[in-house]
Amino acid sequence: MGIGFVLLMAVALIAYGVVNWWSSNRLENRLANLREAGEPTSIKDLKVTVPADDNAALVLEKVRPQLEAFTKALVTFLDKTPQGVAYSESAFKPSKPTDEQINMIRSILAMYPEIPSAIEEAANCNYHASSYDFSIDPHKFLDELLPANTLVRNAVRFAGWQMVVAIADEDYDRTAQIGINTLQLARLYDQEPMLVSGLVALALRGVAVRDLNRVLRSGEISPETRLLVDQELAGHDDPMWFVNVLKTERAYSLDTSGDLFPHFPMTWQGRILKGDILSMYEELLPIVTKPWHESRYEIQEPFDRSYSTPISTTMIQLYTPALNAAHEAYHRTIAEIRCLRILNSLQAYKDGTGREAESLDDLDLSTSAMLDPFDGKPLKLKMTDEGWLIYSAYRNRKDDGGELEPMNDVGVAPLGYPGGE
């Protein structure tokens, strides 16, 4: 029995060594291939070096105290003053802000004269690289992202209130340029790592679409500004956006999965988990380049199948809610951007011909720029008494007649339209 036990232990050790060697060797080969392709495989790989004078993050960091003070002043106005409360209640109605409300907003903005030039300077940079500590524990790294998210959100919030005042002043070209700056900041923020930053970038685009829709509905802009709006919107219709975001998320996932078993001797399980995560992303990345109506079921497949171990299967299934939500949010944003491009083009058509377009066929846009990512058909177009309503069928893939509230459809609507701006 003693000899048998020793032999059994020897076999177990040999098996453990073989599995450990096999899993380690196979994983390293796959990681080496990714590194050779220039793709990140760890949080440290996410660190980039950019010129300090061309980094939007550093530009905005200089006015962080002013942006934080502005946000507090704005909240006080909206929550604590009769004019601010009334403005909040009427924000989604056709009525315009009163002169008193505009003057109060104007006075708040004037308290922070450094911010407008900083936002414009940041928008004209080529990079956005926050000063994260890429060497810290992976589980603490998420805490590094939150201050950067707050900073850019506050900058966009300030820009939005600038647009409110500029519309009241009937300076529509300047207002549209501020909206373009917001879109530029969102595009730059795509360079920040991980899905949480990507979702912030999508949210910034949503704010810009809302504000630019308000501008285009409020007054005329010049042909030159209209062209700039179209060009900037076109730059956000990028099928590789989701892929680029997920590649940084993959690097984080690999790092966090590596320390799930730091004190457990069977380290091969951690390596196998990493390998399974790589397999999941390999399957997922080609899917997310497809429009929603083609990928809505496929995106679930990498999460529904079984992986090498129950641990891998369970851990990968935990990604499902976040990835599905991001998948929908991305395509919703693309739909809204295309809707706004169509509105801009409809107005350009009327400016040029003196009459309203009869259909999407009259517009100088590519077919792909007018497709609804949710059903694969052209986006919906309806003329109302207040103006054009352009919308997507959204996730039920059914034309609900432009029912933006509740969100059975999504798109851009005339000012005061239920669910619109």
Side-chain angles (χ1 to χ4, degrees):
M1 289 179 63
I3 294 173
F5 178 76
V6 170
L7 289 175
L8 183 62
M9 289 298 297
V11 170
L13 289 172
I14 291 171
Y16 169 77
V18 170
V19 171
N20 204 33
W21 171 84
W22 173 82
S23 61
S24 177
N25 190 57
R26 184 168 182 267
L27 176 64
E28 285 307 315
N29 287 338
R30 297 177 74 182
L31 293 175
N33 290 335
L34 288 176
R35 295 188 193 104
E36 188 176 349
E39 298 183 6
T41 59
S42 68
I43 293 175
K44 292 179 180 179
D45 295 339
L46 299 177
K47 183 176 182 178
V48 295
T49 302
V50 303
D53 59 352
D54 200 15
N55 186 352
L58 296 183
V59 174
L60 294 179
E61 191 63 46
K62 295 177 183 177
V63 292
R64 179 187 287 275
Q66 293 90 332
L67 284 169
E68 291 175 349
F70 157 74
T71 301
K72 292 179 181 178
L74 178 63
V75 170
T76 299
F77 165 68
L78 293 174
D79 293 348
K80 304 296 184 182
T81 67
Q83 298 85 354
V85 171
Y87 180 87
S88 298
E89 293 174 348
S90 65
F92 301 107
K93 298 177 182 179
S95 57
K96 295 181 179 180
T98 65
D99 290 342
E100 184 179 16
Q101 289 169 335
I102 289 295
N103 288 333
M104 292 184 72
I105 296 169
R106 195 192 307 274
S107 65
I108 293 174
L109 295 174
M111 294 166 58
Y112 310 99
E114 308 94 335
I115 296 179
S117 58
I119 292 176
E120 186 171 357
E121 181 184 351
N124 288 314
C125 289
N126 289 305
Y127 305 97
H128 195 294
S130 298
S131 302
Y132 303 127
D133 182 357
F134 291 89
S135 64
I136 62 175
D137 178 88
H139 300 291
K140 296 180 180 178
F141 183 71
L142 281 176
D143 296 334
E144 291 271 310
L145 272 66
L146 297 180
N149 290 343
T150 302
L151 180 62
V152 73
R153 283 178 180 271
N154 287 341
V156 168
R157 185 177 291 115
F158 187 96
W161 286 96
Q162 280 186 291
M163 295 176 74
V164 170
V165 172
I167 288 175
D169 293 339
E170 299 183 354
D171 191 351
Y172 302 116
D173 280 332
R174 176 172 171 269
T175 314
Q177 183 57 59
I178 297 172
I180 291 172
N181 288 345
T182 299
L183 285 171
Q184 290 172 326
L185 281 178
R187 188 153 42 82
L188 287 172
Y189 207 74
D190 289 341
Q191 300 174 21
E192 294 291 324
M194 295 184 54
L195 187 59
V196 63
S197 298
L199 291 174
V200 169
L202 289 182
L204 300 183
R205 287 173 169 87
V207 171
V209 168
R210 179 201 66 191
D211 291 343
L212 280 168
N213 179 57
R214 188 183 296 132
V215 176
L216 295 180
R217 308 279 186 175
S218 298
E220 296 183 2
I221 61 175
S222 67
E224 294 78 14
T225 301
R226 196 176 295 285
L227 179 60
L228 291 175
V229 170
D230 182 75
Q231 290 173 340
E232 182 60 35
L233 289 171
H236 293 259
D237 198 341
D238 180 11
M240 291 302 295
W241 177 91
F242 212 173
V243 172
N244 296 332
V245 169
L246 289 184
K247 285 182 178 180
T248 66
E249 186 72 16
R250 177 177 61 189
Y252 178 80
S253 300
L254 290 169
D255 255 7
T256 52
S257 64
D259 67 355
L260 287 175
F261 309 99
H263 306 298
F264 194 61
M266 296 186 71
T267 54
W268 59 270
Q269 291 198 43
R271 295 191 182 98
I272 288 179
L273 174 57
K274 282 191 175 186
D276 286 336
I277 287 174
L278 286 175
S279 297
M280 183 269 286
Y281 277 101
E282 286 172 1
E283 188 175 349
L284 185 64
L285 293 178
I287 295 173
V288 298
T289 62
K290 302 177 183 180
W292 190 89
H293 69 97
E294 294 181 11
S295 58
R296 69 187 189 281
Y297 295 128
E298 287 184 65
I299 196 171
Q300 191 63 32
E301 293 174 2
F303 305 107
D304 285 345
R305 69 181 182 86
S306 296
Y307 286 85
S308 303
T309 68
I311 292 174
S312 292
T313 301
T314 300
M315 294 301 299
I316 287 173
Q317 286 175 348
L318 294 177
Y319 289 100
T320 307
L323 265 296
N324 282 335
H327 183 240
E328 181 181 310
Y330 165 68
H331 286 103
R332 181 176 66 245
T333 302
I334 290 296
E336 291 172 344
I337 285 173
R338 291 178 182 176
C339 288
L340 188 62
R341 280 194 79 190
I342 290 173
L343 173 64
N344 192 51
S345 187
L346 286 167
Q347 293 180 342
Y349 182 88
K350 185 177 181 181
D351 291 344
T353 65
R355 59 185 175 84
E356 297 287 359
E358 296 182 4
S359 69
L360 294 176
D361 294 335
D362 292 333
L363 305 183
D364 187 22
L365 291 174
S366 67
T367 301
S368 61
M370 297 186 289
L371 282 182
D372 185 343
F374 286 94
D375 66 4
K377 302 175 183 178
L379 287 157
K380 288 67 182 166
L381 190 63
K382 180 189 292 187
M383 174 59 81
T384 70
D385 292 339
E386 296 80 20
W388 286 108
L389 171 64
I390 308 111
Y391 61 96
S392 157
Y394 200 29
R395 57 189 167 209
N396 66 3
R397 299 186 299 136
K398 173 186 173 185
D399 184 350
D400 291 293
E403 198 173 59
L404 306 187
E405 189 180 273
M407 289 176 63
N408 292 325
D409 301 319
V410 294
V412 295
L415 301 181
Y417 185 88
E421 285 283 343

